[in-house]
Amino acid sequence: MIIIKTIEELRELVKGWKREGLSVGFVPTMGYLHEGHKSLIIRSVAENDKTIVSDFVNPMQFGPTEDLNTYPRDLDRDAELVTEAGADAIFNPEPEEMYTDSFSSYVDMTTLTGGLCGKTRPIHFRGVCTVLAKLFNIVTPDKAYFGQKDAQQLAVVKHMVEDLNFGLEIVGCPIIREEDGLAKSSRNTYLSKEEREAALILSKSLKLGSDMMEAGEKDVQKIVQVIKENIEKEPLAKIDYVEIVSWPELEEVSEITGTVLCAMAVYIGKTRLIDNIIR
Ligand code: AMP
């Protein structure tokens, strides 16, 4: 497993692989890797001859009041996990390698990005789409792997790849959880012991909603209300949003007739956590 810092080096590596006719899988991440990331890497290793993991905290997708500076970073630890999972290289560029002083081209999407996380994080998806467009052009993978943990991102990326003809397959992978149900996240490290306990309110409330749907409830407003009331019982929790939308179009629905995404963002103390189910 090798760690690559420059775009040029990475291009050379991939060019060599392609000359040999090898397929390339790609797992974009912001590092501080956990079992959720590992599941994507393992899937890529199983389905491709070579796998590249990017490990880059992308400044462009953070708002001015967000946690860019405190976002956890540990390349040595990440390298161990990536090696264990069987990938071939980590791409870990410095921000200046990705964004020169004259950088001025962006990928902006006019659908899918306005609601859910896009409401509270208005520049987030522009940053995500722009960095992924760059990474896809640099890595030129055959397949790229994304977690359903960031369901809106998964829908957005699939759409962008079709719109802009990147010619690669986007593979969605299930959410990996802690034993007690909390979705694994690099941001879970921010939680105190008390907050970690309180954070269970996300998965527990989603389960409530899911059970209602299972029992045949079709009224979206009713389900959202029950979920919100349950979250509000937790004193450390503050709701950013709870929404049920069509999947993968992310359109408003009042009644459940097809596949839906039930998604939420909830502050536990100062930490904003997201979780969702698709059913
Ligand atoms: P991040 O490093 O948070 O940007 O995440 C990189 C990729 O890992 C994204 O595609 C995420 O959806 C995915 N991911 C993060 N957490 C999980 C999880 N708990 N289960 C599955 N995939 C995840």
Side-chain angles (χ1 to χ4, degrees), residues 28-30 34 36-37 40 146-147 149-150 153 174-176 184:
T29 83
M30 296 207 301
H34 51 67
H37 299 112
L40 309 187
F146 289 84
K149 162 87 187 341
D150 300 85
Q153 170 174 277
I175 302 178
I176 304 298
K184 297 217 180 213

Side-chain angles (χ1 to χ4, degrees), residues 20-225:
E20 292 176 51
L22 301 174
S23 62
V24 179
F26 178 42
V27 183
T29 83
M30 296 207 301
Y32 214 71
L33 305 177
H34 51 67
E35 295 292 318
H37 299 112
K38 195 172 182 181
S39 71
L40 309 187
I41 302 170
I42 288 173
R43 176 103 181 251
S44 175
V45 169
E47 295 182 357
N48 301 277
D49 298 318
K50 297 287 180 185
T51 290
I52 293 175
V53 179
S54 65
D55 188 320
F56 177 59
V57 183
N58 175 35
M60 198 188 284
Q61 70 192 63
F62 286 77
T65 59
E66 294 181 354
D67 57 343
L68 172 63
N69 293 329
T70 52
Y71 197 84
R73 293 159 167 90
D74 189 340
L75 186 58
D76 291 342
R77 189 171 155 277
D78 289 350
E80 264 175 46
L81 184 141
V82 169
T83 306
E84 250 174 50
D88 300 275
I90 291 180
F91 180 48
N92 175 238
E94 294 302 319
E96 308 80 62
E97 176 74 5
M98 292 295 279
Y99 302 112
T100 57
D101 288 343
S102 61
F103 188 87
S104 58
S105 307
Y106 298 87
V107 179
D108 249 323
M109 203 175 264
T110 54
T111 57
L112 302 177
T113 57
L116 305 169
C117 287
K119 251 186 223 154
T120 12
R121 307 189 74 191
I123 60 146
H124 177 68
F125 287 108
R126 181 195 216 217
V128 168
C129 288
T130 303
V131 80
L132 287 174
K134 284 172 69 69
L135 288 168
F136 291 160
N137 281 331
I138 295 165
V139 178
T140 63
D142 297 286
K143 295 185 182 187
Y145 296 78
F146 289 84
Q148 187 205 304
K149 162 87 187 341
D150 300 85
Q152 187 175 15
Q153 170 174 277
L154 175 58
V156 162
V157 173
K158 271 198 172 157
H159 200 86
M160 177 186 86
V161 162
E162 276 170 35
D163 278 353
L164 301 182
N165 308 99
F166 276 100
L168 63 103
E169 186 187 337
I170 299 296
V171 183
C173 303
I175 302 178
I176 304 298
R177 298 177 179 279
E178 303 285 354
E179 255 170 44
D180 59 9
L182 179 67
K184 297 217 180 213
S185 165
S186 308
R187 288 192 168 99
N188 290 349
T189 54
Y190 296 148
L191 302 171
S192 69
K193 198 157 167 265
E194 210 187 356
E195 288 171 341
R196 169 67 182 75
E197 199 56 38
L200 288 178
I201 199 67
L202 282 89
S203 54
K204 281 186 178 161
S205 306
L206 277 172
K207 171 83 171 55
L208 263 186
S210 176
D211 287 349
M212 283 177 83
M213 289 188 241
E214 184 77 42
E217 180 59 68
K218 303 268 183 238
D219 187 332
V220 162
Q221 217 184 337
K222 246 191 215 167
I223 302 167
V224 168
Q225 190 61 26

